[in-house]
């Protein structure tokens, strides 16, 4: 990191240039790597090919403005846009559906989505068998995370969670786009570790325009 600014030369002189100073990219990178074995993710420009786009904890229309035209192009080609955010943002106002869980309850929502995907056999089992490990353990772990339980935790209607999970398991290509909002909070890495499980369950990585797109930084 010695080349990133004049202060790096100072810290290099102290022998401290290996210190990771950012809290954004390294946090999400660490979380995604725990699930995928790498912090790499879907090129956001591939969202143009998606048929379901979930913008999770990102006010893309305002703070990721250069990506918005790609999403507009995808919607013109028939893509459905779902925004999941604790805040009603400008992006939420432009979505086909806005899902507003209580702050800090996103992981409960993800676990309930996994519950529905597995319960209703909406997972891509051939892809899971070929590319993942631990499916049976995951199925056991989320067995108690029913939509009813998550609805109570998240402050959502059960039907909203059921519909969200069903759409994610039946519409392809499906992409999740997230940015730095969740990275700045307690348990941020675990948020992204859990989020990264979703595209693996439905085999989204097998499709052009499918997968998980995150912020990229040092990590």
């Amino acid at each position: 990191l010695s080349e990133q600014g004049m202060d790096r030369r100072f810290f290099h002189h102290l022998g401290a240039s290996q210190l990771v100073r950012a809290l954004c990219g390294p946090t999400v990178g660490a979380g995604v790597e725990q699930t995928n074995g790498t912090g790499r993710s879907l090129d956001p420009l591939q969202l143009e090919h998606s048929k379901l786009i979930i913008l999770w904890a990102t006010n893309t229309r305002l703070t990721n403005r250069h990506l918005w035209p790609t999403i507009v192009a995808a919607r013109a080609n028939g893509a459905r846009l779902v925004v999941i955010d604790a805040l009603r943002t400008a992006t939420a106002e432009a979505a086909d559906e806005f899902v507003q869980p209580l702050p800090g309850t996103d992981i409960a929502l993800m676990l309930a989505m996994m519950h529905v995907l597995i319960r209703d056999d909406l997972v891509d089992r051939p892809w899971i068998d070929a590319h993942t490990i631990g499916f049976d353990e995951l199925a056991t772990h989320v067995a108690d995370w029913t939509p009813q339980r998550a609805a109570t935790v998240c402050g959502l209607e059960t039907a909203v969670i059921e519909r969200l999970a069903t759409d994610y398991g039946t519409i392809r290509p499906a992409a999740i786009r997230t940015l730095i909002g969740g990275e700045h909070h307690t348990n941020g890495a675990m948020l992204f570790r859990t989020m990264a499980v979703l595209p693996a369950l439905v085999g989204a990585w097998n499709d052009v325009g499918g997968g998980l797109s995150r912020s990229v930084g040092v990590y």
Side-chain angles (χ1 to χ4, degrees):
L1 301 179
S2 298
E3 80 283 356
Q4 292 188 1
M6 292 298 294
D7 65 312
R8 304 312 198 261
R9 298 181 65 182
F10 171 73
F11 286 114
H12 175 69
H13 184 74
L14 295 179
S17 63
Q18 297 302 309
L19 180 64
V20 176
R21 303 178 191 284
L23 294 177
C24 301
T27 299
V28 61
V32 172
E33 184 181 45
Q34 287 184 52
T35 295
N36 292 346
T38 175
R40 295 177 179 176
S41 70
L42 175 70
D43 182 341
L45 295 180
Q46 293 296 307
L47 267 62
E48 182 177 355
H49 305 289
S50 306
K51 293 303 181 185
L52 175 65
I53 300 173
I54 298 177
L55 298 179
W56 205 314
T58 168
N59 188 7
T60 303
R61 192 180 177 196
L62 181 65
T63 63
N64 192 194
R65 183 63 195 169
H66 52 287
L67 181 61
W68 189 250
T70 300
I71 294 174
V72 170
R75 297 182 78 186
N77 198 32
R80 175 175 172 79
L81 177 64
V82 178
V83 171
I84 303 176
D85 204 313
L87 299 175
R88 181 178 289 276
T89 63
T91 306
E93 295 293 346
D96 296 305
E97 182 176 7
F98 173 45
V99 178
Q100 189 176 21
L102 293 172
T105 66
D106 299 73
I107 292 177
L109 175 56
M110 295 173 196
L111 295 177
M113 289 177 65
M114 295 176 200
H115 175 99
V116 173
L117 290 170
I118 295 170
R119 181 199 69 193
D120 295 349
D121 196 26
L122 299 178
V123 299
D124 188 335
R125 196 55 195 255
W127 199 93
I128 290 171
D129 292 342
H131 300 285
T132 74
I133 58 174
F135 174 79
D136 292 337
E137 291 84 353
L138 175 68
T140 299
H141 181 69
V142 302
D144 293 335
W145 274 102
T146 64
Q148 292 80 8
R149 177 185 178 187
T152 301
V153 173
C154 300
L156 297 171
E157 295 182 3
T158 300
V160 171
I161 300 175
E162 293 273 3
R163 181 174 62 251
L164 177 63
T166 299
D167 285 349
Y168 188 68
T170 57
I171 302 175
R172 299 183 72 156
I176 298 174
R177 169 65 174 177
T178 188
L179 213 59
I180 65 174
E183 301 169 20
H184 293 175
H185 294 275
T186 303
N187 299 320
M190 184 57 73
L191 170 73
F192 297 107
R193 179 185 181 188
T194 309
M195 186 182 293
V197 174
L198 288 168
L201 279 178
V202 299
W205 293 112
N206 203 41
D207 303 326
V208 176
L212 170 64
S213 176
R214 70 172 187 86
S215 67
V216 292
V218 176
Y219 201 94

